[in-house]
Amino acid sequence: MTERSREIFGNAISRRDYQRAVHSKEKYARKFGDDSRELYPVEIEDNPVIGDRLGVKDIRLGQALRSGEQIGPADFDHRKGLIVGNIRMGFGHYRISMAMASAAHALGYTPYWMDLNSYPQTTATKLISAQNDLYSLGSRLSRFRIFNKLVWEPMNYEGFRALTYNASDQKKAELMAPLFREIPKDIPLLATHVWPAQAALHGGMRYVVNAIPDNWPMALHLAEGSLHTVQCNYAYQGYRTLYGFAKKKVLRSIPPDQLIYTGHYVDHEIVANVQTDCQARIERKKRGEPMRFLLTIGGAGAQRDLFGAIIRHLLPAVRNKRAALYVNVGDYRNVWEELLADIPELGRCATEHFLNFEEAAAFADGALTDFVEGVHAFYHRNIFEAVYITNLLMRSCDLLVTKPSELAFYPVPKLFIRRVGKHEMWGAIHSAEMGDGSLECRDIPHILQMTDLFLGENRELIRMCENIQRNKDSGLYNGAYRAVELAMHLREKS
């Protein structure tokens, strides 16, 4: 196994920090076990939710084999196959993965979905699940100002930025490498979180693309040995120079052939229909139809007060048919129940599209041409359904209301509410500069001011739609296609 924690892009890690990384790996191995000698049989299954739409096939791992048992080869497409390596940590990395799978499918490739957080019998999943629990706890606590100011924002902004953090993460990823033991090494892997990229390299995968999210450069996202892609030019310069990764020290740069600017990672279905969907928004606005607000609410609860205020503010406009609401609570039914308890009127006027994904998808498809009014709520237990319904609703909505996470890079008019982690700030800044999103509105009065601006006049929405159409023509939203092509080209080149 290649040692990747002593030196990162030619920048030496101190002996003290290296030993700290080694000790962290030993601590996790004691806590979650070490399955580095295990063999996990691999099976390929059609994904039941996005298999038909995006051609996605799931990579499943069985229980570790006993001594003497044989492993049969899994039925991979070695010519057109592309592994999309990811984890579930919130919805963001799944969303990027769906964009990559969609682009791969549109380009004629077979996307294989490999979620390192979906194999409960393995050390990797136990470790990632524990980290995810900690991150979710931090997100929930971030609504408390003192914790947010002293702990959460500094960690997400500067803590993860440090080069020494990457050294520790690389050691952690060594414990995830056994997942790749029986995966064919000749199939390209496109990772939408750094851990699948790092683990794949430790596991011997030869063609790895590391699709970096966000727009704030951090050492957390480095996987030396892979080809790194970024969505924004600001991120490109930050990663190229590793600026600030060791405070004021000037570091050796990432070689130019290991870092590529691609543009935004967006699903083929959305990119291909940008012009049509934006024109439909403009025409609905001019006709005075109810303006459609899509609210995407996470389960951490850090922003529930903001969404509650938005819903209360818009309900009179919903009654007067000046506004319509799509409210997606993902796979968190409790969030919807809490909103109903806080806003009793919401339950009396909402249509619930719960559990039956086909019915919800049919509504989303019909809304592209149908007249929509009222409040429509969406909840699904299945993570794929919970994430993908936002993609389907996005095409027919007029304004997406969201924190500046991965959705900041999607070609739909956006109203940004308060971030959860300071690193997300730069997604809102980029979107505002590109003209397809608002400034980050961090408190309720400014959120409602921006809401009224969109609702009360035509100018802001039409301006954003026209900017999105121009951005589409410039190729800004083609990043997923580009990342897929780069992954396949790595193998062709060799």
Side-chain angles (χ1 to χ4, degrees):
M1 185 177 293
T2 303
E3 175 58 71
R4 301 184 185 276
S5 296
R6 290 187 183 276
E7 185 179 278
I8 301 170
F9 291 108
N11 298 287
I13 301 299
S14 70
R15 185 175 183 276
R16 179 184 177 187
D17 288 324
Y18 175 75
Q19 289 299 325
R20 189 176 297 162
V22 171
H23 292 327
S24 71
K25 176 186 175 181
E26 293 171 347
K27 179 187 72 174
Y28 285 119
R30 288 193 299 270
K31 186 172 183 179
F32 302 114
D34 183 354
D35 56 2
S36 58
R37 297 179 181 273
E38 304 287 1
L39 293 177
Y40 296 107
V42 177
E43 296 179 352
I44 304 298
E45 301 174 355
D46 289 337
N47 186 285
V49 177
I50 55 176
D52 290 340
R53 289 178 179 264
L54 306 183
V56 171
K57 298 179 181 295
D58 291 339
I59 297 177
R60 308 306 308 162
L61 299 186
Q63 293 293 331
L65 297 182
R66 293 185 294 272
S67 178
E69 288 185 300
Q70 298 297 312
I71 296 178
D75 188 21
F76 283 94
D77 183 342
H78 289 259
R79 190 172 66 91
K80 291 285 190 178
L82 171 71
I83 297 172
V84 180
N86 57 74
I87 65 169
R88 180 188 173 173
M89 185 168 281
F91 286 176
H93 299 288
Y94 256 42
R95 192 175 306 286
I96 298 174
S97 294
M98 288 179 181
M100 299 303 185
S102 172
H105 183 59
L107 293 171
Y109 299 113
T110 302
Y112 295 101
W113 191 276
M114 188 174 185
D115 176 5
L116 273 61
N117 201 15
S118 66
Y119 311 124
Q121 71 276 30
T122 69
T123 298
T125 292
K126 294 172 186 175
L127 194 160
I128 293 170
S129 295
Q131 295 289 292
N132 189 28
D133 290 344
L134 282 175
Y135 194 84
S136 295
L137 176 61
S139 295
R140 291 193 297 273
L141 294 176
S142 68
R143 58 181 168 168
F144 300 109
R145 289 186 178 181
I146 297 298
F147 179 84
N148 192 52
K149 181 179 180 179
L150 298 181
V151 179
W152 190 244
E153 289 220 331
M155 180 179 69
N156 279 279
Y157 200 62
E158 293 295 346
F160 293 155
R161 194 182 185 194
L163 199 66
T164 53
Y165 189 93
N166 185 257
S168 179
D169 246 17
Q170 286 282 6
K171 279 297 174 187
K172 192 183 305 176
E174 291 177 5
L175 293 170
M176 307 175 194
L179 299 185
F180 292 92
R181 180 162 292 157
E182 297 304 316
I183 302 295
K185 304 301 182 288
D186 63 325
I187 296 183
L189 182 137
L190 203 170
T192 61
H193 186 280
V194 71
W195 289 340
Q198 293 170 345
L201 292 165
H202 287 303
M205 301 296 290
R206 296 198 291 269
Y207 315 113
V208 178
V209 169
N210 176 27
I212 296 175
D214 300 325
N215 189 29
W216 175 243
M218 295 188 288
L220 162 71
H221 294 305
L222 297 177
E224 187 173 5
S226 68
L227 176 63
H228 298 71
T229 65
V230 292
Q231 300 184 85
C232 310
N233 285 305
Y234 179 89
Y236 179 88
Q237 290 193 4
Y239 281 107
R240 185 71 210 284
T241 60
L242 302 181
Y243 182 84
F245 285 28
K247 297 186 178 179
K248 293 184 179 181
K249 182 180 179 180
V250 176
L251 298 173
R252 292 190 180 184
S253 303
I254 294 181
D257 61 346
Q258 296 180 40
L259 179 66
I260 304 291
Y261 163 78
T262 61
H264 300 185
Y265 313 136
V266 183
D267 312 63
H268 164 73
E269 295 76 23
I270 296 173
V271 176
N273 291 287
V274 162
Q275 303 289 0
T276 301
D277 294 343
C278 279
Q279 194 59 40
R281 293 181 183 109
I282 293 171
E283 292 172 2
R284 283 195 298 269
K285 189 65 172 169
K286 289 180 176 178
R287 288 196 301 266
E289 291 189 22
M291 185 173 175
R292 305 169 181 185
F293 291 80
L294 170 56
L295 281 58
T296 61
I297 307 177
Q303 300 165 308
R304 199 154 49 242
D305 58 332
L306 304 184
F307 281 111
I310 295 167
I311 292 170
R312 284 191 196 90
H313 187 71
L314 285 174
L315 279 180
V318 172
R319 287 195 302 270
N320 296 331
K321 297 186 179 181
R322 296 175 56 234
L325 298 183
Y326 302 157
V327 181
N328 182 22
V329 296
D331 57 351
Y332 294 98
R333 178 67 178 263
N334 65 294
V335 172
W336 179 245
E337 299 295 343
E338 290 164 6
L339 285 171
L340 293 181
D342 291 342
I343 314 171
E345 183 184 353
L346 182 60
R348 295 192 291 269
C349 65
T351 300
E352 296 181 348
H353 305 268
F354 288 4
L355 302 180
N356 187 335
F357 180 74
E358 292 307 318
E359 183 275 332
F363 170 85
D365 292 339
L368 293 169
T369 54
D370 294 345
F371 183 88
V372 175
E373 59 182 332
V375 178
H376 298 268
F378 301 85
Y379 154 75
H380 297 92
R381 291 195 189 99
N382 181 282
I383 178 63
F384 290 96
E385 296 173 349
V387 174
Y388 198 62
I389 193 63
T390 291
N391 289 24
L392 299 180
L393 294 168
M394 198 184 303
R395 287 193 54 202
S396 72
C397 82
D398 295 320
L399 186 70
L400 172 64
V401 182
T402 179
K403 70 187 182 78
S405 58
E406 283 71 21
L407 285 170
F409 303 95
Y410 273 70
V412 57
K414 295 172 289 286
L415 192 169
F416 292 120
I417 63 173
R418 185 176 63 218
R419 62 187 181 250
V420 181
K422 196 173 180 180
H423 62 293
E424 293 182 342
M425 172 177 71
W426 293 90
I429 292 172
H430 172 76
S431 180
E433 290 287 355
M434 295 297 101
D436 62 7
S438 75
L439 302 172
E440 179 192 352
C441 301
R442 301 204 65 204
D443 57 56
I444 290 172
H446 285 96
I447 292 171
L448 300 186
Q449 178 195 37
M450 191 67 73
T451 301
D452 288 341
L453 203 62
F454 279 103
L455 189 61
E457 61 179 56
N458 293 356
R459 182 188 305 271
E460 284 306 307
L461 183 72
I462 292 175
R463 183 182 68 83
M464 280 192 187
C465 287
E466 291 173 346
N467 288 334
I468 290 168
Q469 290 173 321
R470 284 190 289 269
N471 292 341
K472 165 65 167 63
D473 290 339
S474 73
L476 180 67
Y477 306 118
N478 291 343
Y481 303 119
R482 181 70 174 133
V484 168
E485 290 168 343
L486 287 167
M488 303 308 291
H489 183 63
L490 284 178
R491 184 175 63 184
E492 295 167 5
K493 185 170 64 174
S494 69

